[in-house]
Amino acid sequence: MAYFSTAVSEVTEGVVNLRGYSLADVMRKATYTQGAFLSITGRLPSAAETRLVDGILTSLLDHGYVASTITAARYIASGNPQFIPAVAGGILAAGSNTLSPEHSFHLLDHTAELRGDGTLEEGAARVVEEYVSQRKRLPGFGHPTHKTSDFRADILFDLAAELGLDGESIRQLQAIDRAFRERTGKTNIPINIDGALAAIGRDLGWSPNQTVAFAVLSVLPGLMAHVVEEIETGRPLRYIQDGEYVGEPLAKSVGD
Amino acid sequence: MAYFSTAVSEVTEGVVNLRGYSLADVMRKATYTQGAFLSITGRLPSAAETRLVDGILTSLLDHGYVASTITAARYIASGNPQFIPAVAGGILAAGSNTLSPEHSFHLLDHTAELRGDGTLEEGAARVVEEYVSQRKRLPGFGHPTHKTSDFRADILFDLAAELGLDGESIRQLQAIDRAFRERTGKTNIPINIDGALAAIGRDLGWSPNQTVAFAVLSVLPGLMAHVVEEIETGRPLRYIQDGEYVGEPLAKSVGD
Amino acid sequence: MAYFSTAVSEVTEGVVNLRGYSLADVMRKATYTQGAFLSITGRLPSAAETRLVDGILTSLLDHGYVASTITAARYIASGNPQFIPAVAGGILAAGSNTLSPEHSFHLLDHTAELRGDGTLEEGAARVVEEYVSQRKRLPGFGHPTHKTSDFRADILFDLAAELGLDGESIRQLQAIDRAFRERTGKTNIPINIDGALAAIGRDLGWSPNQTVAFAVLSVLPGLMAHVVEEIETGRPLRYIQDGEYVGEPLAKSVGD
Amino acid sequence: MAYFSTAVSEVTEGVVNLRGYSLADVMRKATYTQGAFLSITGRLPSAAETRLVDGILTSLLDHGYVASTITAARYIASGNPQFIPAVAGGILAAGSNTLSPEHSFHLLDHTAELRGDGTLEEGAARVVEEYVSQRKRLPGFGHPTHKTSDFRADILFDLAAELGLDGESIRQLQAIDRAFRERTGKTNIPINIDGALAAIGRDLGWSPNQTVAFAVLSVLPGLMAHVVEEIETGRPLRYIQDGEYVGEPLAKSVGD
């Protein structure tokens, strides 16, 4: 048995076999969205899926300075004005506080357990009761800028409904949203884009990592544009200018 | 004047202005390829450009184990089975030996200087003479696997011609290819995908970094698929097994 | 209140205040080991702690090809022959399968709970019984190369004992080792370097992240030496040569 | 011949051969500074070299918020509160604008050419004349915070002199400093720490990459301390708050 083994692709002279398809055929007939779907999930998408995934892949195209990924990438490019390291470093800022639909996957899995044979509304009521009574934040809800609704989530849900791709995860998340508003009276903690991506990805059969994959692809063009801009017209050696020191005064001596 | 300044995007509550377009509008009407083109270049592509860029963005979708980026990413995931660090680390392997169309940009710029008012053939003859006589490798030519031709370059040039987008850079690079074959008699050093991307990107008005941006987007879905596979079914703690030690024997002592 | 706040350091013209000490003073009087200890933990080490930390910081200086971090870094440098990206990428391979003393911290914390008011031996017996009966691997035990004992762990424990720094975490881990050998009869799953680092770090009052910090500093010089070697004398574009394709045959067509 | 080949280290059961020394021996007798020197340069340092390298390795222990590396790392940790990705990402900000002694290596190499058989002063006068007349910045000179002198460079040069390790590169760089002050009358562009590291590294026989290696080791403890602080007490999802949008107004429509 070989040391490495893969079901993703095989390369021989003049041919790349990508999940059973010839890369030459993919290049001639498929869009990037279709090809990326094939690479990541192992099959080509339907026409409806292609349209929905185009919506997903444009939903995070840019979020300006209001994104840790872009901010981090610009500071890296300011110290090291090279394209590749800044792009890679920006991706590293995607984690549990941003671009993290995996937490909403867990919420939906947990709701399914609590719901059992009950209705979507019953599942929603139970999970909301649990989170609110334990004062835990619902993952996939709330956004620092988009307070009454996250338009990106709304558009994706509309698209999914128009295309007949609004599965149970989407409907469950929307029921949780309604239950949360009723239980708390709060209207400024809407479903955010991470929550929407998790629900849609789960309905499409994606794993959390596969969903993160599409989220990262969506973020990258804007991130890359900011990196190019920083390299071409930014400032060398940017640093934090409004920092405050709250540590010990300069009063110690080595060897004392 | 603000410390940071950008012409890429602006975010306010409920609105993302991306290069003058509403992100909501982009999500509803554009494909990822169109949106990425807008983010990176500042304008929407024509229908012909969209098709050509779909070809570009699928050309590197996968190259299996025969890619340093994928190999590096799988070793990272083998030690640290997390999606984000492995993807970022894989991108770091893109550099002067691979995914580096910038070198072919320089070749084309230099050819334009040598050519002056001459024909494409005269420019090609002069630059080939210079490289061959100095025994320098032509950047954007040759591939370890695809020896007689790189089908990805061929398909992109065919697409550009069909779409009326085969500009002077493409024709110049093809003239260099012919001149090289005539001058050397060698038929196993064809235009490779990096050379093709540089010529097409240059004709589309892209900078080298913008061209690298599209190349990285193309590489990522396959890279991501390999990372997911390594995390789910790979081996923990892979290492180099056929390495050889050629250093000093174990015969020294600290403090001698 | 400032947006950023730190207790680590303050920089003004001609002065760097590092945790209450002048950097100029540190440069003149301290070794790197002392300075790194000060930066990471907030205080200078005693003479005994300095010697023990020198042992820690040399314990992982190199582990050749038998390390995912070094392998990953060399593949990155093979594609992108630059020092900084390869070093950063190599660090990314440190995670739950290697350089991860945090798991042994959890083992020690859990043992303390199980032990309650009992002896170290009673705590050890209970945690070993739990892990063995549930067929879980003990984190911090076993090594693919160093099968009967991990000499690095042994030396650090000897050093700690000589220096009077063998605290309860070390003794607890050694008791777990004895209990495991008795319970299972297995002698080829010794305490490894990650387990030793966790026990020593816990005794010194370090957090898991602080312990990982020292482990990463220890790994880096060897990693850097391998990167320099790969850049100067390695092969461009290395890739996996003994991979095997187990996916679908090339039989599908886009548009079918 | 094996696919990989190394002169750095060899690992067998119970033994790590590091550059001809047993790692066990190194752990028992050497400091980190000596071990890192051995790994990176292939030999153990003398006592004088050890002291000088301790000075080098503490010179960049921290530079607070006034460092792109630390700023980038904190933004990464703010989005993705994990230790390893933030440390790796911070390193990526080291490049041509910071932590880049390689440029001063080139200055010293070029000065040696211009100098020929002349004195250090003649070499200095020629290179300063060239740079000043072409209005080029001297690499390794000037600092945004430390304007009249960079105390870190001064201390390292004092240390080198005390230890008898002030070789020709140091004396040449100091002659360039004097010639620059005379030629321009400017006193606020002193030799900075990058310039000092290059001169000392060149005198010690290090390559530019080896010199960068020591600089990165010096930066890491402070970087790590800032990352730990950001993870434990920082703010999630930090972003640029004083950014300004200077791009196109929101007036375009997809499909126009």
Side-chain angles (χ1 to χ4, degrees):
Chain A
M1 187 183 156
Y3 188 54
F4 273 94
S5 170
T6 186
V8 175
S9 63
E10 183 175 38
V11 179
T12 50
E13 183 165 356
V15 180
V16 174
N17 172 356
L18 170 55
R19 304 278 199 185
Y21 293 85
S22 157
L23 179 60
D25 197 35
V26 172
M27 284 180 66
R28 286 196 193 92
K29 299 183 195 161
T31 65
Y32 177 72
T33 298
Q34 294 169 318
F37 193 106
L38 174 62
S39 286
I40 295 170
T41 73
R43 67 176 179 85
L44 281 171
S46 69
E49 287 170 331
T50 300
R51 182 65 203 97
L52 182 58
V53 175
D54 270 316
I56 289 172
L57 284 174
T58 49
S59 67
L60 295 165
L61 264 188
D62 209 300
H63 211 257
Y65 294 138
V66 195
S68 298
T69 45
I70 287 174
T71 301
R74 290 193 78 131
Y75 275 102
I76 292 172
S78 173
N80 182 11
Q82 285 189 294
F83 184 75
I84 290 289
V87 170
I91 291 175
L92 290 174
S96 70
N97 291 336
T98 183
L99 286 182
S100 51
E102 63 271 30
H103 301 296
S104 303
F105 265 80
H106 299 320
L107 176 70
L108 289 164
D109 291 343
H110 184 52
T111 305
E113 288 169 16
L114 292 178
R115 176 186 168 196
D117 294 332
T119 64
L120 291 171
E121 280 67 29
E122 289 166 341
R126 286 171 200 159
V127 82
V128 165
E129 184 56 38
E130 178 181 311
Y131 272 72
V132 171
S133 64
Q134 298 179 16
R135 296 177 181 234
K136 290 193 298 184
R137 203 178 70 77
L138 280 172
F141 285 77
H143 193 279
T145 308
H146 308 301
K147 292 180 195 291
T148 52
S149 85
D150 186 333
F151 73 89
R152 301 163 302 176
D154 299 343
I155 291 173
L156 289 184
F157 286 157
D158 286 351
L159 262 177
E162 288 167 24
L163 295 161
L165 291 170
D166 50 338
E168 193 169 279
S169 300
I170 293 178
R171 293 198 307 275
Q172 181 65 77
L173 197 67
Q174 291 174 324
I176 293 172
D177 182 42
R178 288 191 300 273
F180 178 79
R181 289 167 193 262
E182 279 171 33
R183 173 69 172 76
T184 64
K186 290 184 181 165
T187 59
N188 62 343
I189 307 182
I191 297 174
N192 65 29
I193 182 66
D194 277 8
L197 291 174
I200 295 170
R202 199 166 177 271
D203 280 340
L204 289 171
W206 297 349
S207 69
N209 275 340
Q210 288 174 324
T211 307
V212 173
F214 286 97
V216 169
L217 291 178
S218 181
V219 160
L220 275 168
L223 181 76
M224 289 167 162
H226 280 276
V227 167
V228 168
E229 187 182 55
E230 181 69 32
I231 292 173
E232 292 179 357
T233 67
R235 298 185 190 204
L237 291 183
R238 290 185 194 274
Y239 54 83
I240 295 166
Q241 300 197 308
D242 54 350
E244 166 187 46
Y245 181 62
V246 297
E248 302 205 40
L250 187 54
K252 297 184 174 180
S253 175
V254 179
D256 285 7
Chain B
M1 189 184 155
Y3 188 54
F4 273 93
S5 171
T6 186
V8 176
S9 63
E10 183 175 37
V11 179
T12 50
E13 183 166 356
V15 180
V16 175
N17 173 354
L18 171 54
R19 304 276 199 186
Y21 293 85
S22 157
L23 179 61
D25 197 35
V26 172
M27 284 179 66
R28 286 198 194 92
K29 299 182 195 160
T31 65
Y32 177 73
T33 298
Q34 294 169 318
F37 193 106
L38 173 62
S39 286
I40 294 170
T41 72
R43 66 175 179 86
L44 281 171
S46 68
E49 287 171 331
T50 300
R51 182 66 204 96
L52 182 57
V53 175
D54 270 316
I56 290 172
L57 284 173
T58 50
S59 67
L60 295 164
L61 264 189
D62 210 299
H63 212 256
Y65 293 139
V66 196
S68 298
T69 45
I70 286 174
T71 301
R74 291 193 76 131
Y75 275 102
I76 292 172
S78 173
N80 182 12
Q82 286 188 291
F83 184 75
I84 290 290
V87 170
I91 291 175
L92 290 173
S96 71
N97 291 337
T98 182
L99 286 183
S100 51
E102 63 270 31
H103 301 296
S104 303
F105 265 80
H106 299 320
L107 176 70
L108 289 165
D109 290 344
H110 183 54
T111 305
E113 287 169 15
L114 292 179
R115 176 186 167 195
D117 294 331
T119 63
L120 291 170
E121 281 66 30
E122 289 166 340
R126 286 171 201 158
V127 81
V128 165
E129 184 56 37
E130 179 182 309
Y131 272 73
V132 170
S133 65
Q134 297 179 18
R135 297 178 180 234
K136 289 192 299 184
R137 201 178 70 79
L138 280 172
F141 285 77
H143 193 279
T145 308
H146 308 301
K147 292 180 194 294
T148 52
S149 86
D150 186 333
F151 72 90
R152 302 163 302 176
D154 299 343
I155 290 174
L156 289 184
F157 286 157
D158 288 350
L159 262 177
E162 289 166 23
L163 295 161
L165 291 169
D166 52 336
E168 194 169 280
S169 299
I170 293 178
R171 294 198 307 275
Q172 181 66 76
L173 197 67
Q174 291 174 325
I176 293 172
D177 182 42
R178 289 191 299 273
F180 178 79
R181 290 168 193 264
E182 280 170 32
R183 173 70 172 75
T184 65
K186 290 182 181 165
T187 59
N188 62 344
I189 306 181
I191 298 175
N192 65 29
I193 183 65
D194 276 8
L197 291 175
I200 295 170
R202 198 167 179 270
D203 281 341
L204 289 171
W206 298 347
S207 69
N209 275 340
Q210 287 174 325
T211 308
V212 173
F214 285 97
V216 170
L217 291 178
S218 181
V219 160
L220 274 167
L223 180 75
M224 289 168 163
H226 280 276
V227 167
V228 168
E229 188 181 55
E230 181 70 32
I231 291 173
E232 292 179 358
T233 67
R235 299 183 190 206
L237 291 181
R238 291 185 193 274
Y239 53 83
I240 295 166
Q241 301 198 306
D242 55 348
E244 163 186 50
Y245 181 65
V246 297
E248 301 204 43
L250 186 54
K252 296 183 175 181
S253 175
V254 179
D256 286 7
Chain C
M1 189 182 153
Y3 188 54
F4 273 93
S5 172
T6 187
V8 176
S9 63
E10 183 175 37
V11 179
T12 50
E13 184 165 355
V15 181
V16 174
N17 172 354
L18 170 55
R19 304 275 199 187
Y21 293 85
S22 157
L23 180 61
D25 197 35
V26 172
M27 285 179 67
R28 286 197 194 94
K29 299 182 195 160
T31 65
Y32 177 72
T33 298
Q34 294 169 317
F37 193 105
L38 173 62
S39 287
I40 294 170
T41 73
R43 66 176 179 87
L44 281 172
S46 68
E49 288 171 331
T50 300
R51 182 65 205 95
L52 182 57
V53 175
D54 270 315
I56 289 172
L57 285 174
T58 50
S59 67
L60 294 165
L61 264 188
D62 209 301
H63 212 256
Y65 293 139
V66 196
S68 298
T69 45
I70 287 174
T71 302
R74 290 194 77 132
Y75 276 102
I76 292 172
S78 173
N80 181 13
Q82 285 188 293
F83 184 75
I84 291 289
V87 170
I91 290 175
L92 290 174
S96 71
N97 291 337
T98 182
L99 285 182
S100 51
E102 62 270 31
H103 301 297
S104 303
F105 265 80
H106 300 321
L107 175 69
L108 289 165
D109 290 344
H110 184 53
T111 305
E113 288 169 16
L114 292 179
R115 176 186 167 196
D117 294 332
T119 63
L120 291 170
E121 280 67 30
E122 288 167 341
R126 287 172 200 159
V127 82
V128 165
E129 184 55 39
E130 178 182 310
Y131 273 73
V132 171
S133 65
Q134 297 179 17
R135 297 179 182 232
K136 290 192 297 184
R137 202 178 69 78
L138 281 172
F141 285 78
H143 192 279
T145 308
H146 308 301
K147 292 182 196 291
T148 52
S149 86
D150 186 332
F151 72 90
R152 303 163 301 176
D154 300 343
I155 292 173
L156 290 184
F157 286 157
D158 287 350
L159 262 178
E162 288 165 24
L163 295 161
L165 292 169
D166 51 336
E168 194 169 281
S169 299
I170 293 179
R171 294 198 307 274
Q172 180 65 77
L173 197 68
Q174 291 174 325
I176 293 172
D177 183 42
R178 288 191 300 272
F180 178 80
R181 289 168 193 262
E182 279 170 33
R183 173 70 171 77
T184 64
K186 289 184 182 166
T187 59
N188 63 343
I189 306 181
I191 298 175
N192 65 28
I193 182 66
D194 277 9
L197 291 174
I200 295 170
R202 198 167 178 271
D203 280 339
L204 289 171
W206 298 348
S207 69
N209 275 341
Q210 288 174 324
T211 307
V212 173
F214 285 97
V216 170
L217 291 178
S218 181
V219 160
L220 275 167
L223 180 76
M224 290 168 162
H226 280 276
V227 167
V228 168
E229 187 182 57
E230 182 69 33
I231 291 173
E232 292 179 357
T233 67
R235 299 184 190 205
L237 290 182
R238 291 184 192 274
Y239 53 84
I240 294 166
Q241 300 196 308
D242 54 349
E244 166 187 47
Y245 181 64
V246 297
E248 302 203 39
L250 187 53
K252 297 183 174 181
S253 176
V254 179
D256 285 5
Chain D
M1 188 182 155
Y3 188 52
F4 273 93
S5 170
T6 186
V8 176
S9 63
E10 182 174 38
V11 179
T12 50
E13 183 166 355
V15 181
V16 175
N17 172 354
L18 170 55
R19 304 280 199 184
Y21 293 85
S22 157
L23 179 61
D25 197 34
V26 172
M27 285 179 66
R28 286 197 194 94
K29 299 183 195 159
T31 65
Y32 178 71
T33 298
Q34 294 169 318
F37 193 105
L38 173 62
S39 287
I40 294 170
T41 73
R43 67 175 178 86
L44 281 171
S46 68
E49 288 171 331
T50 300
R51 182 67 204 95
L52 181 57
V53 175
D54 270 315
I56 289 172
L57 285 174
T58 50
S59 67
L60 295 164
L61 264 189
D62 210 299
H63 212 257
Y65 293 140
V66 196
S68 298
T69 45
I70 286 175
T71 302
R74 290 194 77 132
Y75 275 103
I76 291 172
S78 173
N80 182 12
Q82 287 188 292
F83 185 76
I84 291 290
V87 170
I91 291 175
L92 291 173
S96 70
N97 291 337
T98 182
L99 286 183
S100 51
E102 63 270 30
H103 301 296
S104 303
F105 264 82
H106 299 321
L107 175 70
L108 289 164
D109 291 344
H110 184 53
T111 305
E113 287 169 16
L114 293 178
R115 175 185 168 195
D117 295 330
T119 63
L120 291 170
E121 280 66 31
E122 289 167 341
R126 286 173 200 157
V127 82
V128 165
E129 184 56 39
E130 179 182 309
Y131 272 72
V132 171
S133 65
Q134 297 179 19
R135 296 176 180 233
K136 290 192 297 185
R137 201 178 71 77
L138 281 172
F141 285 77
H143 192 279
T145 308
H146 307 301
K147 291 182 195 291
T148 52
S149 86
D150 186 332
F151 72 90
R152 302 163 302 177
D154 299 344
I155 291 173
L156 290 183
F157 285 158
D158 287 351
L159 262 178
E162 287 166 24
L163 296 161
L165 291 169
D166 51 335
E168 194 169 281
S169 299
I170 293 179
R171 293 197 308 275
Q172 180 65 76
L173 196 68
Q174 291 174 324
I176 293 172
D177 182 42
R178 288 191 299 273
F180 178 79
R181 289 167 193 262
E182 281 171 31
R183 173 70 171 76
T184 64
K186 290 183 181 166
T187 59
N188 61 344
I189 307 181
I191 298 175
N192 65 29
I193 182 65
D194 277 8
L197 291 175
I200 295 170
R202 197 166 179 270
D203 280 340
L204 289 171
W206 298 348
S207 70
N209 275 340
Q210 288 174 324
T211 307
V212 173
F214 286 97
V216 170
L217 291 178
S218 181
V219 159
L220 274 168
L223 181 76
M224 289 167 164
H226 280 277
V227 167
V228 168
E229 187 182 55
E230 181 70 31
I231 291 173
E232 292 178 358
T233 66
R235 298 184 192 208
L237 292 182
R238 291 185 193 274
Y239 53 82
I240 294 166
Q241 301 197 308
D242 55 348
E244 167 186 49
Y245 181 63
V246 297
E248 302 204 40
L250 186 53
K252 297 183 173 180
S253 175
V254 179
D256 285 7

